[in-house]
């Protein structure tokens, strides 16, 4: 297998954190987005959507979408379980993964892509008004998560899961996206410090 990666992009980072939590190593080939390598023949033939990451199997089949790649790795290496331990647990992890992805990760990513000068090359046209619209949506979700984290250690339960990986990547992108984190969210701050201390998360 070969994993196509971009070091500074958030979605490949989710996969790298997942692999580190599993203590799994896969050969990696970097794709330079700023040099438009994702739009050039060699990589465009790997992923027609010209996005990273992509996992290429030995038979040439290609798996894209970061959570799909993580699910595949989970099936090969079930310990530690990052998608839940049993059917009920897995359902709640799925719920929180989707909540965090759609209500935190996506708004922060859109704010970043539509406001940061470095993204002008990749997001054409940039829509500053879209970025402004997304920032309060992300903050609203942060407040929701802060209330939820009053009763448990991590996003979905008292165990670290894929939902925490998605959430920490989003939170770490807030500075570049100019999404202010309200300073009264003490539960969220505790969670972030806890997760950021994990070796897998350290840049």
């Amino acid at each position: 297998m070969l994993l196509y990666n971009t070091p500074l992009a958030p979605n490949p980072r989710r996969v790298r954190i997942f692999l580190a939590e599993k203590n799994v190593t896969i050969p990696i080939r970097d794709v330079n987005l700023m040099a438009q390598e994702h739009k050039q023949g060699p990589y465009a033939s790997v992923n027609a959507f010209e996005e990273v990451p992509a996992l290429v199997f030995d038979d040439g089949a290609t798996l894209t979408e970061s959570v799909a790649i993580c699910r595949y790795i989970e099936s090969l290496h079930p310990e530690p379980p990052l998608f839940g331990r049993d059917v009920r647990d897995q359902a709640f992890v799925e719920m929180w993964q989707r909540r965090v992805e759609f209500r935190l990760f996506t708004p922060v990513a859109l704010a970043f892509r539509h406001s940061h000068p470095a993204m002008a090359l990749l997001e054409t046209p940039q829509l500053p008004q879209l970025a402004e619209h997304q920032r309060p949506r992300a903050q609203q979700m942060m407040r929701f998560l802060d209330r939820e984290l009053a009763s448990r250690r991590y996003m979905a339960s008292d165990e670290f899961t894929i939902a925490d990986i998605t959430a920490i990547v989003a939170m770490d992108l807030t500075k570049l996206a100019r999404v202010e984190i309200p300073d009264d969210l003490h539960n969220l701050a505790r969670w972030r410090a806890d997760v950021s201390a994990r070796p897998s998360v350290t840049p």
Side-chain angles (χ1 to χ4, degrees), residues 4-6 9 11-12 31-54 62-65 113 119 121-124:
Y4 284 88
N5 166 70
T6 296
N11 278 308
V31 178
N32 188 333
L33 300 184
M34 304 312 296
Q36 300 284 293
E37 288 182 358
H38 59 302
K39 294 183 177 296
Q40 297 170 19
Y43 187 71
S45 64
V46 170
N47 185 351
F49 286 112
E50 301 174 347
E51 298 170 346
V52 285
T62 302
L63 182 64
T64 63
E65 306 300 333
R113 291 184 67 91
M119 290 294 101
L121 183 65
L122 302 178
E123 198 66 58
T124 307

PDB file of all heavy atoms in Angstrom, residues 4-6 9 11-12 31-54 62-65 113 119 121-124:
ATOM      1  N   TYR A   4      -0.858   8.598  -0.182  1.00  0.00           N
ATOM      2  CA  TYR A   4      -0.535   9.933  -0.674  1.00  0.00           C
ATOM      3  C   TYR A   4      -0.961  10.953   0.379  1.00  0.00           C
ATOM      4  O   TYR A   4      -2.094  10.922   0.857  1.00  0.00           O
ATOM      5  CB  TYR A   4      -1.237  10.201  -2.005  1.00  0.00           C
ATOM      6  CG  TYR A   4      -0.594   9.504  -3.179  1.00  0.00           C
ATOM      7  CD1 TYR A   4      -0.972   8.214  -3.528  1.00  0.00           C
ATOM      8  CD2 TYR A   4       0.413  10.124  -3.917  1.00  0.00           C
ATOM      9  CE1 TYR A   4      -0.371   7.554  -4.602  1.00  0.00           C
ATOM     10  CE2 TYR A   4       1.018   9.487  -4.987  1.00  0.00           C
ATOM     11  CZ  TYR A   4       0.620   8.201  -5.326  1.00  0.00           C
ATOM     12  OH  TYR A   4       1.221   7.562  -6.392  1.00  0.00           O
ATOM     13  N   ASN A   5      -0.052  11.856   0.702  1.00  0.00           N
ATOM     14  CA  ASN A   5      -0.178  12.718   1.868  1.00  0.00           C
ATOM     15  C   ASN A   5       0.272  14.131   1.518  1.00  0.00           C
ATOM     16  O   ASN A   5       1.063  14.355   0.604  1.00  0.00           O
ATOM     17  CB  ASN A   5       0.715  12.134   2.973  1.00  0.00           C
ATOM     18  CG  ASN A   5       0.954  13.072   4.133  1.00  0.00           C
ATOM     19  OD1 ASN A   5       0.058  13.348   4.910  1.00  0.00           O
ATOM     20  ND2 ASN A   5       2.188  13.561   4.256  1.00  0.00           N
ATOM     21  N   THR A   6      -0.274  15.097   2.239  1.00  0.00           N
ATOM     22  CA  THR A   6       0.250  16.464   2.208  1.00  0.00           C
ATOM     23  C   THR A   6       0.465  16.880   3.654  1.00  0.00           C
ATOM     24  O   THR A   6      -0.486  16.895   4.443  1.00  0.00           O
ATOM     25  CB  THR A   6      -0.729  17.423   1.515  1.00  0.00           C
ATOM     26  OG1 THR A   6      -0.859  17.029   0.142  1.00  0.00           O
ATOM     27  CG2 THR A   6      -0.209  18.856   1.572  1.00  0.00           C
ATOM     28  N   ALA A   9      -1.873  19.691   5.286  1.00  0.00           N
ATOM     29  CA  ALA A   9      -3.314  19.651   5.030  1.00  0.00           C
ATOM     30  C   ALA A   9      -4.036  18.909   6.156  1.00  0.00           C
ATOM     31  O   ALA A   9      -3.524  17.928   6.699  1.00  0.00           O
ATOM     32  CB  ALA A   9      -3.588  18.982   3.691  1.00  0.00           C
ATOM     33  N   ASN A  11      -6.927  16.982   6.293  1.00  0.00           N
ATOM     34  CA  ASN A  11      -7.444  15.628   6.103  1.00  0.00           C
ATOM     35  C   ASN A  11      -6.361  14.558   6.145  1.00  0.00           C
ATOM     36  O   ASN A  11      -6.529  13.540   6.823  1.00  0.00           O
ATOM     37  CB  ASN A  11      -8.265  15.545   4.814  1.00  0.00           C
ATOM     38  CG  ASN A  11      -9.681  16.037   5.025  1.00  0.00           C
ATOM     39  OD1 ASN A  11     -10.378  15.589   5.933  1.00  0.00           O
ATOM     40  ND2 ASN A  11     -10.120  16.977   4.202  1.00  0.00           N
ATOM     41  N   PRO A  12      -5.230  14.743   5.456  1.00  0.00           N
ATOM     42  CA  PRO A  12      -4.159  13.758   5.623  1.00  0.00           C
ATOM     43  C   PRO A  12      -3.665  13.661   7.065  1.00  0.00           C
ATOM     44  O   PRO A  12      -3.273  12.580   7.516  1.00  0.00           O
ATOM     45  CB  PRO A  12      -3.055  14.270   4.691  1.00  0.00           C
ATOM     46  CG  PRO A  12      -3.778  15.068   3.666  1.00  0.00           C
ATOM     47  CD  PRO A  12      -4.914  15.719   4.402  1.00  0.00           C
ATOM     48  N   VAL A  31       2.373  14.941  -1.644  1.00  0.00           N
ATOM     49  CA  VAL A  31       1.873  15.680  -2.790  1.00  0.00           C
ATOM     50  C   VAL A  31       1.896  17.159  -2.414  1.00  0.00           C
ATOM     51  O   VAL A  31       1.294  17.558  -1.419  1.00  0.00           O
ATOM     52  CB  VAL A  31       0.428  15.254  -3.141  1.00  0.00           C
ATOM     53  CG1 VAL A  31      -0.100  16.078  -4.311  1.00  0.00           C
ATOM     54  CG2 VAL A  31       0.375  13.763  -3.463  1.00  0.00           C
ATOM     55  N   ASN A  32       2.585  17.962  -3.195  1.00  0.00           N
ATOM     56  CA  ASN A  32       2.719  19.392  -2.919  1.00  0.00           C
ATOM     57  C   ASN A  32       1.547  20.143  -3.552  1.00  0.00           C
ATOM     58  O   ASN A  32       1.524  20.387  -4.757  1.00  0.00           O
ATOM     59  CB  ASN A  32       4.053  19.906  -3.478  1.00  0.00           C
ATOM     60  CG  ASN A  32       4.338  21.340  -3.062  1.00  0.00           C
ATOM     61  OD1 ASN A  32       3.423  22.122  -2.805  1.00  0.00           O
ATOM     62  ND2 ASN A  32       5.606  21.694  -2.989  1.00  0.00           N
ATOM     63  N   LEU A  33       0.575  20.502  -2.714  1.00  0.00           N
ATOM     64  CA  LEU A  33      -0.601  21.199  -3.234  1.00  0.00           C
ATOM     65  C   LEU A  33      -0.260  22.578  -3.768  1.00  0.00           C
ATOM     66  O   LEU A  33      -0.826  23.028  -4.766  1.00  0.00           O
ATOM     67  CB  LEU A  33      -1.665  21.320  -2.136  1.00  0.00           C
ATOM     68  CG  LEU A  33      -2.200  20.014  -1.540  1.00  0.00           C
ATOM     69  CD1 LEU A  33      -3.312  20.323  -0.544  1.00  0.00           C
ATOM     70  CD2 LEU A  33      -2.694  19.064  -2.620  1.00  0.00           C
ATOM     71  N   MET A  34       0.647  23.274  -3.080  1.00  0.00           N
ATOM     72  CA  MET A  34       0.974  24.635  -3.497  1.00  0.00           C
ATOM     73  C   MET A  34       1.689  24.662  -4.840  1.00  0.00           C
ATOM     74  O   MET A  34       1.672  25.674  -5.546  1.00  0.00           O
ATOM     75  CB  MET A  34       1.819  25.331  -2.424  1.00  0.00           C
ATOM     76  CG  MET A  34       1.169  25.360  -1.053  1.00  0.00           C
ATOM     77  SD  MET A  34      -0.562  25.907  -1.071  1.00  0.00           S
ATOM     78  CE  MET A  34      -0.409  27.588  -1.650  1.00  0.00           C
ATOM     79  N   ALA A  35       2.326  23.550  -5.196  1.00  0.00           N
ATOM     80  CA  ALA A  35       2.952  23.440  -6.515  1.00  0.00           C
ATOM     81  C   ALA A  35       1.997  22.828  -7.534  1.00  0.00           C
ATOM     82  O   ALA A  35       2.405  22.515  -8.657  1.00  0.00           O
ATOM     83  CB  ALA A  35       4.223  22.598  -6.422  1.00  0.00           C
ATOM     84  N   GLN A  36       0.735  22.676  -7.126  1.00  0.00           N
ATOM     85  CA  GLN A  36      -0.317  22.137  -7.999  1.00  0.00           C
ATOM     86  C   GLN A  36      -0.056  20.695  -8.438  1.00  0.00           C
ATOM     87  O   GLN A  36      -0.554  20.249  -9.486  1.00  0.00           O
ATOM     88  CB  GLN A  36      -0.482  23.040  -9.225  1.00  0.00           C
ATOM     89  CG  GLN A  36      -0.873  24.478  -8.911  1.00  0.00           C
ATOM     90  CD  GLN A  36      -2.342  24.615  -8.526  1.00  0.00           C
ATOM     91  OE1 GLN A  36      -3.223  24.408  -9.330  1.00  0.00           O
ATOM     92  NE2 GLN A  36      -2.587  24.958  -7.276  1.00  0.00           N
ATOM     93  N   GLU A  37       0.712  19.949  -7.638  1.00  0.00           N
ATOM     94  CA  GLU A  37       0.990  18.557  -8.015  1.00  0.00           C
ATOM     95  C   GLU A  37      -0.275  17.705  -8.035  1.00  0.00           C
ATOM     96  O   GLU A  37      -0.343  16.708  -8.753  1.00  0.00           O
ATOM     97  CB  GLU A  37       2.018  17.950  -7.059  1.00  0.00           C
ATOM     98  CG  GLU A  37       3.421  18.479  -7.246  1.00  0.00           C
ATOM     99  CD  GLU A  37       4.429  17.816  -6.316  1.00  0.00           C
ATOM    100  OE1 GLU A  37       4.016  16.965  -5.499  1.00  0.00           O
ATOM    101  OE2 GLU A  37       5.624  18.152  -6.416  1.00  0.00           O
ATOM    102  N   HIS A  38      -1.272  18.099  -7.253  1.00  0.00           N
ATOM    103  CA  HIS A  38      -2.514  17.315  -7.211  1.00  0.00           C
ATOM    104  C   HIS A  38      -3.318  17.443  -8.500  1.00  0.00           C
ATOM    105  O   HIS A  38      -4.212  16.629  -8.759  1.00  0.00           O
ATOM    106  CB  HIS A  38      -3.376  17.755  -6.018  1.00  0.00           C
ATOM    107  CG  HIS A  38      -3.765  19.190  -6.029  1.00  0.00           C
ATOM    108  ND1 HIS A  38      -2.851  20.223  -6.059  1.00  0.00           N
ATOM    109  CD2 HIS A  38      -4.995  19.790  -6.026  1.00  0.00           C
ATOM    110  CE1 HIS A  38      -3.487  21.372  -6.068  1.00  0.00           C
ATOM    111  NE2 HIS A  38      -4.782  21.143  -6.042  1.00  0.00           N
ATOM    112  N   LYS A  39      -3.001  18.446  -9.311  1.00  0.00           N
ATOM    113  CA  LYS A  39      -3.715  18.652 -10.566  1.00  0.00           C
ATOM    114  C   LYS A  39      -2.939  18.121 -11.763  1.00  0.00           C
ATOM    115  O   LYS A  39      -3.411  18.216 -12.903  1.00  0.00           O
ATOM    116  CB  LYS A  39      -4.009  20.145 -10.757  1.00  0.00           C
ATOM    117  CG  LYS A  39      -4.984  20.715  -9.724  1.00  0.00           C
ATOM    118  CD  LYS A  39      -5.284  22.170 -10.008  1.00  0.00           C
ATOM    119  CE  LYS A  39      -6.310  22.721  -9.031  1.00  0.00           C
ATOM    120  NZ  LYS A  39      -7.630  22.052  -9.176  1.00  0.00           N
ATOM    121  N   GLN A  40      -1.773  17.603 -11.527  1.00  0.00           N
ATOM    122  CA  GLN A  40      -0.929  17.116 -12.610  1.00  0.00           C
ATOM    123  C   GLN A  40      -1.142  15.614 -12.823  1.00  0.00           C
ATOM    124  O   GLN A  40      -1.620  14.901 -11.930  1.00  0.00           O
ATOM    125  CB  GLN A  40       0.534  17.430 -12.311  1.00  0.00           C
ATOM    126  CG  GLN A  40       0.804  18.937 -12.221  1.00  0.00           C
ATOM    127  CD  GLN A  40       2.177  19.271 -11.696  1.00  0.00           C
ATOM    128  OE1 GLN A  40       3.079  18.445 -11.704  1.00  0.00           O
ATOM    129  NE2 GLN A  40       2.338  20.503 -11.195  1.00  0.00           N
ATOM    130  N   GLY A  41      -0.770  15.156 -14.010  1.00  0.00           N
ATOM    131  CA  GLY A  41      -1.044  13.799 -14.443  1.00  0.00           C
ATOM    132  C   GLY A  41      -0.829  12.683 -13.439  1.00  0.00           C
ATOM    133  O   GLY A  41      -1.765  11.911 -13.166  1.00  0.00           O
ATOM    134  N   PRO A  42       0.362  12.574 -12.853  1.00  0.00           N
ATOM    135  CA  PRO A  42       0.602  11.427 -11.980  1.00  0.00           C
ATOM    136  C   PRO A  42      -0.396  11.295 -10.831  1.00  0.00           C
ATOM    137  O   PRO A  42      -0.901  10.208 -10.581  1.00  0.00           O
ATOM    138  CB  PRO A  42       2.023  11.692 -11.462  1.00  0.00           C
ATOM    139  CG  PRO A  42       2.665  12.498 -12.529  1.00  0.00           C
ATOM    140  CD  PRO A  42       1.567  13.375 -13.061  1.00  0.00           C
ATOM    141  N   TYR A  43      -0.707  12.400 -10.162  1.00  0.00           N
ATOM    142  CA  TYR A  43      -1.635  12.275  -9.040  1.00  0.00           C
ATOM    143  C   TYR A  43      -3.091  12.391  -9.484  1.00  0.00           C
ATOM    144  O   TYR A  43      -3.969  11.731  -8.915  1.00  0.00           O
ATOM    145  CB  TYR A  43      -1.366  13.308  -7.947  1.00  0.00           C
ATOM    146  CG  TYR A  43      -2.236  13.035  -6.730  1.00  0.00           C
ATOM    147  CD1 TYR A  43      -1.986  11.940  -5.912  1.00  0.00           C
ATOM    148  CD2 TYR A  43      -3.353  13.818  -6.440  1.00  0.00           C
ATOM    149  CE1 TYR A  43      -2.804  11.645  -4.833  1.00  0.00           C
ATOM    150  CE2 TYR A  43      -4.171  13.532  -5.360  1.00  0.00           C
ATOM    151  CZ  TYR A  43      -3.898  12.449  -4.558  1.00  0.00           C
ATOM    152  OH  TYR A  43      -4.704  12.141  -3.492  1.00  0.00           O
ATOM    153  N   ALA A  44      -3.383  13.192 -10.476  1.00  0.00           N
ATOM    154  CA  ALA A  44      -4.763  13.320 -10.954  1.00  0.00           C
ATOM    155  C   ALA A  44      -5.297  11.971 -11.427  1.00  0.00           C
ATOM    156  O   ALA A  44      -6.498  11.705 -11.371  1.00  0.00           O
ATOM    157  CB  ALA A  44      -4.842  14.352 -12.067  1.00  0.00           C
ATOM    158  N   SER A  45      -4.404  11.098 -11.882  1.00  0.00           N
ATOM    159  CA  SER A  45      -4.830   9.764 -12.299  1.00  0.00           C
ATOM    160  C   SER A  45      -5.089   8.855 -11.104  1.00  0.00           C
ATOM    161  O   SER A  45      -5.780   7.844 -11.223  1.00  0.00           O
ATOM    162  CB  SER A  45      -3.772   9.128 -13.215  1.00  0.00           C
ATOM    163  OG  SER A  45      -2.552   8.930 -12.515  1.00  0.00           O
ATOM    164  N   VAL A  46      -4.543   9.220  -9.945  1.00  0.00           N
ATOM    165  CA  VAL A  46      -4.782   8.463  -8.718  1.00  0.00           C
ATOM    166  C   VAL A  46      -6.131   8.836  -8.123  1.00  0.00           C
ATOM    167  O   VAL A  46      -6.922   7.977  -7.720  1.00  0.00           O
ATOM    168  CB  VAL A  46      -3.650   8.718  -7.690  1.00  0.00           C
ATOM    169  CG1 VAL A  46      -4.004   8.133  -6.326  1.00  0.00           C
ATOM    170  CG2 VAL A  46      -2.344   8.126  -8.192  1.00  0.00           C
ATOM    171  N   ASN A  47      -6.412  10.140  -8.044  1.00  0.00           N
ATOM    172  CA  ASN A  47      -7.653  10.632  -7.465  1.00  0.00           C
ATOM    173  C   ASN A  47      -8.245  11.677  -8.402  1.00  0.00           C
ATOM    174  O   ASN A  47      -7.725  12.789  -8.504  1.00  0.00           O
ATOM    175  CB  ASN A  47      -7.407  11.233  -6.078  1.00  0.00           C
ATOM    176  CG  ASN A  47      -8.677  11.649  -5.383  1.00  0.00           C
ATOM    177  OD1 ASN A  47      -9.759  11.657  -5.977  1.00  0.00           O
ATOM    178  ND2 ASN A  47      -8.568  12.009  -4.119  1.00  0.00           N
ATOM    179  N   ALA A  48      -9.321  11.317  -9.060  1.00  0.00           N
ATOM    180  CA  ALA A  48      -9.927  12.210 -10.047  1.00  0.00           C
ATOM    181  C   ALA A  48     -10.433  13.499  -9.431  1.00  0.00           C
ATOM    182  O   ALA A  48     -10.570  14.516 -10.127  1.00  0.00           O
ATOM    183  CB  ALA A  48     -11.075  11.494 -10.755  1.00  0.00           C
ATOM    184  N   PHE A  49     -10.695  13.505  -8.111  1.00  0.00           N
ATOM    185  CA  PHE A  49     -11.129  14.719  -7.442  1.00  0.00           C
ATOM    186  C   PHE A  49      -9.950  15.628  -7.079  1.00  0.00           C
ATOM    187  O   PHE A  49     -10.149  16.723  -6.554  1.00  0.00           O
ATOM    188  CB  PHE A  49     -11.930  14.385  -6.180  1.00  0.00           C
ATOM    189  CG  PHE A  49     -13.309  13.872  -6.467  1.00  0.00           C
ATOM    190  CD1 PHE A  49     -13.653  12.559  -6.191  1.00  0.00           C
ATOM    191  CD2 PHE A  49     -14.271  14.701  -7.024  1.00  0.00           C
ATOM    192  CE1 PHE A  49     -14.929  12.076  -6.452  1.00  0.00           C
ATOM    193  CE2 PHE A  49     -15.553  14.234  -7.285  1.00  0.00           C
ATOM    194  CZ  PHE A  49     -15.879  12.913  -7.009  1.00  0.00           C
ATOM    195  N   GLU A  50      -8.733  15.139  -7.319  1.00  0.00           N
ATOM    196  CA  GLU A  50      -7.506  15.917  -7.094  1.00  0.00           C
ATOM    197  C   GLU A  50      -7.404  16.370  -5.648  1.00  0.00           C
ATOM    198  O   GLU A  50      -7.083  17.528  -5.352  1.00  0.00           O
ATOM    199  CB  GLU A  50      -7.456  17.117  -8.055  1.00  0.00           C
ATOM    200  CG  GLU A  50      -7.505  16.687  -9.513  1.00  0.00           C
ATOM    201  CD  GLU A  50      -7.598  17.834 -10.488  1.00  0.00           C
ATOM    202  OE1 GLU A  50      -7.881  18.972 -10.033  1.00  0.00           O
ATOM    203  OE2 GLU A  50      -7.417  17.618 -11.691  1.00  0.00           O
ATOM    204  N   GLU A  51      -7.705  15.457  -4.716  1.00  0.00           N
ATOM    205  CA  GLU A  51      -7.656  15.745  -3.292  1.00  0.00           C
ATOM    206  C   GLU A  51      -6.780  14.717  -2.592  1.00  0.00           C
ATOM    207  O   GLU A  51      -6.552  13.614  -3.106  1.00  0.00           O
ATOM    208  CB  GLU A  51      -9.072  15.687  -2.691  1.00  0.00           C
ATOM    209  CG  GLU A  51     -10.032  16.707  -3.287  1.00  0.00           C
ATOM    210  CD  GLU A  51     -11.475  16.479  -2.870  1.00  0.00           C
ATOM    211  OE1 GLU A  51     -11.771  15.377  -2.335  1.00  0.00           O
ATOM    212  OE2 GLU A  51     -12.298  17.381  -3.067  1.00  0.00           O
ATOM    213  N   VAL A  52      -6.298  15.083  -1.430  1.00  0.00           N
ATOM    214  CA  VAL A  52      -5.546  14.152  -0.586  1.00  0.00           C
ATOM    215  C   VAL A  52      -6.306  13.980   0.731  1.00  0.00           C
ATOM    216  O   VAL A  52      -7.051  14.885   1.142  1.00  0.00           O
ATOM    217  CB  VAL A  52      -4.122  14.681  -0.306  1.00  0.00           C
ATOM    218  CG1 VAL A  52      -3.235  14.529  -1.508  1.00  0.00           C
ATOM    219  CG2 VAL A  52      -4.150  16.139   0.179  1.00  0.00           C
ATOM    220  N   PRO A  53      -6.162  12.814   1.368  1.00  0.00           N
ATOM    221  CA  PRO A  53      -5.253  11.706   1.078  1.00  0.00           C
ATOM    222  C   PRO A  53      -5.862  10.706   0.099  1.00  0.00           C
ATOM    223  O   PRO A  53      -7.048  10.787  -0.232  1.00  0.00           O
ATOM    224  CB  PRO A  53      -5.070  11.059   2.457  1.00  0.00           C
ATOM    225  CG  PRO A  53      -6.413  11.239   3.103  1.00  0.00           C
ATOM    226  CD  PRO A  53      -6.894  12.600   2.642  1.00  0.00           C
ATOM    227  N   ALA A  54      -5.039   9.756  -0.306  1.00  0.00           N
ATOM    228  CA  ALA A  54      -5.484   8.620  -1.107  1.00  0.00           C
ATOM    229  C   ALA A  54      -4.615   7.427  -0.732  1.00  0.00           C
ATOM    230  O   ALA A  54      -3.405   7.567  -0.563  1.00  0.00           O
ATOM    231  CB  ALA A  54      -5.368   8.911  -2.594  1.00  0.00           C
ATOM    232  N   THR A  62      -7.797   2.263  -5.508  1.00  0.00           N
ATOM    233  CA  THR A  62      -7.536   3.467  -4.734  1.00  0.00           C
ATOM    234  C   THR A  62      -8.706   3.767  -3.808  1.00  0.00           C
ATOM    235  O   THR A  62      -9.859   3.799  -4.247  1.00  0.00           O
ATOM    236  CB  THR A  62      -7.299   4.676  -5.660  1.00  0.00           C
ATOM    237  OG1 THR A  62      -6.200   4.394  -6.530  1.00  0.00           O
ATOM    238  CG2 THR A  62      -6.985   5.922  -4.848  1.00  0.00           C
ATOM    239  N   LEU A  63      -8.377   3.997  -2.545  1.00  0.00           N
ATOM    240  CA  LEU A  63      -9.368   4.372  -1.546  1.00  0.00           C
ATOM    241  C   LEU A  63      -9.111   5.820  -1.154  1.00  0.00           C
ATOM    242  O   LEU A  63      -8.007   6.171  -0.727  1.00  0.00           O
ATOM    243  CB  LEU A  63      -9.254   3.463  -0.320  1.00  0.00           C
ATOM    244  CG  LEU A  63     -10.260   3.674   0.817  1.00  0.00           C
ATOM    245  CD1 LEU A  63     -11.685   3.357   0.342  1.00  0.00           C
ATOM    246  CD2 LEU A  63      -9.895   2.795   2.016  1.00  0.00           C
ATOM    247  N   THR A  64     -10.125   6.674  -1.311  1.00  0.00           N
ATOM    248  CA  THR A  64      -9.992   8.066  -0.910  1.00  0.00           C
ATOM    249  C   THR A  64     -10.979   8.344   0.222  1.00  0.00           C
ATOM    250  O   THR A  64     -11.737   7.464   0.621  1.00  0.00           O
ATOM    251  CB  THR A  64     -10.255   9.017  -2.088  1.00  0.00           C
ATOM    252  OG1 THR A  64     -11.603   8.861  -2.538  1.00  0.00           O
ATOM    253  CG2 THR A  64      -9.311   8.728  -3.245  1.00  0.00           C
ATOM    254  N   GLU A  65     -10.956   9.569   0.725  1.00  0.00           N
ATOM    255  CA  GLU A  65     -11.743  10.030   1.871  1.00  0.00           C
ATOM    256  C   GLU A  65     -11.081   9.530   3.160  1.00  0.00           C
ATOM    257  O   GLU A  65     -10.946   8.335   3.385  1.00  0.00           O
ATOM    258  CB  GLU A  65     -13.212   9.604   1.812  1.00  0.00           C
ATOM    259  CG  GLU A  65     -13.931  10.001   0.531  1.00  0.00           C
ATOM    260  CD  GLU A  65     -13.947  11.503   0.303  1.00  0.00           C
ATOM    261  OE1 GLU A  65     -13.887  12.277   1.282  1.00  0.00           O
ATOM    262  OE2 GLU A  65     -14.022  11.909  -0.878  1.00  0.00           O
ATOM    263  N   ARG A 113     -10.042  28.142   4.103  1.00  0.00           N
ATOM    264  CA  ARG A 113      -9.850  28.129   2.654  1.00  0.00           C
ATOM    265  C   ARG A 113     -10.317  29.432   2.002  1.00  0.00           C
ATOM    266  O   ARG A 113      -9.763  29.842   0.975  1.00  0.00           O
ATOM    267  CB  ARG A 113     -10.584  26.941   2.036  1.00  0.00           C
ATOM    268  CG  ARG A 113      -9.986  25.591   2.384  1.00  0.00           C
ATOM    269  CD  ARG A 113     -10.707  24.469   1.660  1.00  0.00           C
ATOM    270  NE  ARG A 113     -10.494  24.540   0.227  1.00  0.00           N
ATOM    271  CZ  ARG A 113      -9.496  23.923  -0.416  1.00  0.00           C
ATOM    272  NH1 ARG A 113      -8.607  23.223   0.266  1.00  0.00           N
ATOM    273  NH2 ARG A 113      -9.380  24.024  -1.729  1.00  0.00           N
ATOM    274  N   MET A 119      -4.309  30.263   0.587  1.00  0.00           N
ATOM    275  CA  MET A 119      -5.307  29.394  -0.036  1.00  0.00           C
ATOM    276  C   MET A 119      -5.897  29.986  -1.314  1.00  0.00           C
ATOM    277  O   MET A 119      -6.686  29.328  -1.994  1.00  0.00           O
ATOM    278  CB  MET A 119      -6.440  29.113   0.955  1.00  0.00           C
ATOM    279  CG  MET A 119      -6.058  28.219   2.115  1.00  0.00           C
ATOM    280  SD  MET A 119      -5.650  26.510   1.597  1.00  0.00           S
ATOM    281  CE  MET A 119      -3.847  26.586   1.627  1.00  0.00           C
ATOM    282  N   LEU A 121      -4.648  30.373  -4.105  1.00  0.00           N
ATOM    283  CA  LEU A 121      -4.269  29.572  -5.265  1.00  0.00           C
ATOM    284  C   LEU A 121      -5.148  28.339  -5.409  1.00  0.00           C
ATOM    285  O   LEU A 121      -5.385  27.859  -6.520  1.00  0.00           O
ATOM    286  CB  LEU A 121      -2.798  29.156  -5.145  1.00  0.00           C
ATOM    287  CG  LEU A 121      -2.195  28.361  -6.308  1.00  0.00           C
ATOM    288  CD1 LEU A 121      -2.154  29.239  -7.560  1.00  0.00           C
ATOM    289  CD2 LEU A 121      -0.793  27.881  -5.955  1.00  0.00           C
ATOM    290  N   LEU A 122      -5.632  27.820  -4.273  1.00  0.00           N
ATOM    291  CA  LEU A 122      -6.388  26.570  -4.285  1.00  0.00           C
ATOM    292  C   LEU A 122      -7.889  26.775  -4.276  1.00  0.00           C
ATOM    293  O   LEU A 122      -8.640  25.903  -4.727  1.00  0.00           O
ATOM    294  CB  LEU A 122      -5.981  25.715  -3.071  1.00  0.00           C
ATOM    295  CG  LEU A 122      -4.498  25.354  -2.958  1.00  0.00           C
ATOM    296  CD1 LEU A 122      -4.250  24.551  -1.693  1.00  0.00           C
ATOM    297  CD2 LEU A 122      -4.043  24.581  -4.186  1.00  0.00           C
ATOM    298  N   GLU A 123      -8.344  27.889  -3.734  1.00  0.00           N
ATOM    299  CA  GLU A 123      -9.778  28.165  -3.636  1.00  0.00           C
ATOM    300  C   GLU A 123     -10.100  29.363  -4.518  1.00  0.00           C
ATOM    301  O   GLU A 123      -9.932  30.506  -4.129  1.00  0.00           O
ATOM    302  CB  GLU A 123     -10.159  28.469  -2.184  1.00  0.00           C
ATOM    303  CG  GLU A 123     -11.629  28.340  -1.890  1.00  0.00           C
ATOM    304  CD  GLU A 123     -12.143  26.930  -2.021  1.00  0.00           C
ATOM    305  OE1 GLU A 123     -11.635  26.017  -1.342  1.00  0.00           O
ATOM    306  OE2 GLU A 123     -13.088  26.741  -2.821  1.00  0.00           O
ATOM    307  N   THR A 124     -10.556  29.086  -5.735  1.00  0.00           N
ATOM    308  CA  THR A 124     -10.804  30.150  -6.711  1.00  0.00           C
ATOM    309  C   THR A 124     -12.254  30.108  -7.163  1.00  0.00           C
ATOM    310  O   THR A 124     -12.704  29.131  -7.749  1.00  0.00           O
ATOM    311  CB  THR A 124      -9.884  29.978  -7.935  1.00  0.00           C
ATOM    312  OG1 THR A 124      -8.532  29.878  -7.510  1.00  0.00           O
ATOM    313  CG2 THR A 124     -10.029  31.141  -8.892  1.00  0.00           C
TER     314      THR A 124
END
